[in-house]
Amino acid sequence: MMPENQRHPTGQEQSPALIQNSGQGKFEEIITYDELRKELEYVSLALFKELIRRFAWRKIDRRKLFLAGAVMSIAGIILPTFLLAYHRNSRFESPNGTMHLSKNLTEARLDKSQLVTSAPFVSLNSSIEAKDSARVLRMRQNRRKTIDVLKVVHPPPRRSVPRHLQRYLQSLSSHEALLYAKREIEHAPLVENVGNDSYLYAPVFRNISIFKRSYELMEMILRVYIYRDGKKPIFHQPRLNGIYASEGWFMKLMEANREFVTKEPEKAHLFYLPYSSRQLELALYVRNSHNLRPLSKFLRDYVNMIASKYPFWNRTHGSDHFLVACHDWGPFITTEHVELKDNAIKALCNADLKENFVAGKDVSLPETAIRIASKPLRNIGGGIRVSQRPILAFFAGKMHGRVRPKLLKHWLNKDADMRIYGPLSRRVSKNMSYVRHMKSSKYCICPMGYEVNSPRIVEAIYYECVPVIIAANFVLPLSEVLEWKAFSVTVAEIDIPKLKEILLAIPLKRYLQMLMNVKMVQKHFLWNPNPMRYDLFHMILHSIWYNRLNQIQIPQS
């Protein structure tokens, strides 16, 4: 059955009257061969009548008349053939062999109600053409299945700041500006436009009013100073692919930023230590030694050098300094320096409350697995319709840690609805890739590995699958502002045997709302090569700014 909006008013089913051409941004109207032939006959008859009139009233050279007749005859034979050949060799062919003439989008919308079903054109080679058309259609469908294009929705522009407010903010010291921002956030105005048409979707935030006001104040006030000290590759050399790519992408975009970065440290509100925990491991760790002290000592010596060379660390004992580390060892590398461990803001992928992570001060960093650094948005989006998702829950991965073996023990090859694997075998992946598994599943299982975080959480959001998180003591990414209950499910490790029962108990209405929220929160987890407001770079920076404000005490008047 066809949807109601594709039926003719008389009740008869219509063939598609509009075909979108994504490469040209136009729509095309289907015109049959019979209609084209009638148009050509009408034009030919009009020309013939005009020729007779001129012949009757004026003298016409017979040689010219003969030449004109020959040209018209040849044109009458060649023109339809040429059009049909162009029709077959171009991308304007549909399975029923009809022709398409381009129309712009506005005209197509205006004429949509006037379009009628096109009649098929049957040629002598119709069976061959039908097979070729079906083959081409299948190839295009398969190409659409494997190459999903993310529709980029641009955020609204920044609000302009009145000049008197600009002058006032510039007159404040860095500490006074932070006090001003904290007071403003505590009295944030209520955001009224929080519907589907708003760029910021209220259900995915803990408090949309506070977030919006805090973000605006960050754009108005925040200035970050980046220390230029430190040699590559440990400093200033980001790694942009792999499962630790978050720290690299943040470093790359932060160092290239002109909106928040200042070259005058006296005006800075935050100070960035631009080191890479992954590069530190590659440079100093002795393989299989299980000794992290050389890495911790190196970072300790670097911070001591910063403290002795500049006055800014000692001014706040490091509480306005921050680092970004996505390696599992990120929390341990800071332990040799007490102030770095206790005072500095640490944005960590390994956000484990039992491993040197302080909620409310430190920031949980999303772990993003970037396969191709030049295409960080590849394959994002494109989850298929809920009614066509054959898989209830999916997981595939290596057996890291204690949780994943339990997951396989209870669900591997036990239930057709629960596609739980170890590493995805070639036999399975040749029929359905890892990405297509996620896009075809209602829920994507995201169990912890050796550490609490997993790139599958962000992958599930990328591929429009509701994440099911199994990790104890895990502070969820960007939880200062995001309401994870709105777009994910958390399951305790002890409840793994009841996993299917738990998922089936979720009402369809609740699941559909979570899936909608996954799609709406997706834009906040994207590494855009050219950063946009509210994307992942800005969300991480905002959480660092927000947690810095949490440390500020407003004096009692």
Side-chain angles (χ1 to χ4, degrees), residues 211-493:
F211 170 73
K212 191 171 187 296
R213 185 57 179 152
S214 176
Y215 191 94
E216 291 171 349
L217 288 164
M218 179 187 76
E219 291 180 321
M220 287 192 292
I221 295 173
L222 179 60
R223 296 295 176 267
V224 178
Y225 180 76
I226 303 174
Y227 288 107
R228 299 301 172 187
D229 304 81
K231 295 182 180 180
K232 296 180 179 180
I234 296 175
F235 300 91
H236 308 291
Q237 183 169 313
R239 291 181 67 91
L240 303 179
N241 60 350
I243 62 173
Y244 307 124
S246 288
E247 67 178 27
W249 273 93
F250 183 87
M251 181 191 297
K252 168 186 167 64
L253 299 177
M254 189 78 253
E255 294 203 321
N257 188 270
R258 295 294 177 267
E259 180 183 4
F260 298 105
V261 173
T262 179
K263 295 182 179 179
E264 303 177 67
E266 295 80 8
K267 296 182 179 180
H269 307 94
L270 287 169
F271 295 80
Y272 175 39
L273 304 173
Y275 95 102
S276 165
S277 60
R278 174 59 170 164
Q279 297 283 32
L280 184 61
E281 179 221 0
L282 294 175
L284 298 181
Y285 178 67
V286 178
R287 190 176 181 84
N288 298 323
S289 68
H290 306 290
N291 183 11
L292 303 184
R293 289 201 68 190
L295 286 70
S296 299
K297 288 181 178 180
F298 180 89
L299 194 58
R300 177 199 66 189
D301 294 342
Y302 171 75
V303 173
N304 286 335
M305 181 272 293
I306 291 293
S308 63
K309 185 175 180 179
Y310 303 94
F312 312 110
W313 180 278
N314 296 325
R315 188 175 61 187
T316 62
H317 300 284
S319 61
D320 55 359
H321 287 58
F322 72 94
L323 58 85
V324 178
C326 197
H327 198 281
D328 294 348
W329 298 342
F332 303 104
I333 296 172
T334 66
T335 54
E336 286 287 328
H337 196 290
V338 176
E339 290 183 342
L340 179 65
K341 176 175 70 74
D342 294 338
N343 298 340
I345 300 171
K346 301 182 292 295
L348 303 171
C349 285
N350 188 10
D352 190 337
L353 289 173
K354 290 188 175 181
E355 296 184 1
N356 192 28
F357 184 92
V358 181
K361 177 182 74 70
D362 297 328
V363 173
S364 180
L365 187 67
E367 190 169 322
T368 53
I370 305 298
R371 291 172 175 80
I372 302 176
S374 61
K375 299 178 181 179
L377 304 182
R378 187 186 184 200
N379 288 328
I380 293 177
I384 64 177
R385 296 171 59 182
V386 174
S387 61
Q388 298 175 352
R389 296 192 184 203
I391 305 170
L392 175 64
F394 166 71
F395 167 78
K398 295 180 180 179
M399 293 297 100
H400 293 162
R402 68 177 189 273
V403 174
R404 298 181 186 185
K406 291 182 181 179
L407 187 64
L408 262 67
K409 176 183 176 181
H410 287 93
W411 294 108
L412 178 63
N413 298 325
K414 299 291 179 62
D415 194 308
D417 293 332
M418 305 289 287
R419 306 285 180 89
I420 307 298
Y421 307 97
L424 202 62
S425 66
R426 184 172 298 179
R427 177 181 60 83
V428 176
S429 61
K430 72 178 181 180
N431 294 322
M432 184 181 288
S433 69
Y434 177 85
V435 173
R436 291 311 303 173
H437 266 94
M438 277 198 154
K439 294 185 178 184
S440 303
S441 301
K442 294 182 175 67
Y443 297 95
C444 289
I445 312 301
C446 307
M448 63 182 290
Y450 289 132
E451 306 301 341
V452 291
N453 209 340
S454 168
R456 284 166 186 79
I457 297 174
V458 177
E459 284 179 340
I461 294 172
Y462 282 176
Y463 305 144
E464 299 178 0
C465 177
V466 175
V468 178
I469 301 165
I470 308 175
N473 305 308
F474 180 33
V475 179
L476 290 166
L478 308 178
S479 55
E480 298 81 12
V481 294
L482 294 182
E483 182 56 79
W484 278 85
K485 292 180 181 179
F487 54 90
S488 69
V489 178
T490 301
V491 175
E493 182 180 339

Side-chain angles (χ1 to χ4, degrees), residues 35-76:
E35 292 172 347
L36 181 60
R37 180 174 56 79
K38 290 178 181 179
E39 292 291 334
L40 291 174
E41 288 177 354
Y42 176 82
V43 173
S44 300
L45 183 60
L47 290 174
F48 188 69
K49 289 180 178 180
E50 178 66 15
L51 185 64
I52 293 176
R53 187 181 67 81
R54 289 176 178 269
F55 183 81
W57 294 97
R58 301 178 184 180
K59 288 186 177 181
I60 296 180
D61 192 329
R62 294 181 180 275
R63 286 176 296 180
K64 292 182 179 180
L65 178 62
F66 176 81
L67 180 62
V71 169
M72 290 178 63
S73 299
I74 294 172

Side-chain angles (χ1 to χ4, degrees), residues 5-17:
N5 59 0
Q6 293 184 10
R7 291 176 175 267
H8 191 270
T10 61
Q12 297 178 349
E13 291 183 355
Q14 295 288 93
S15 63

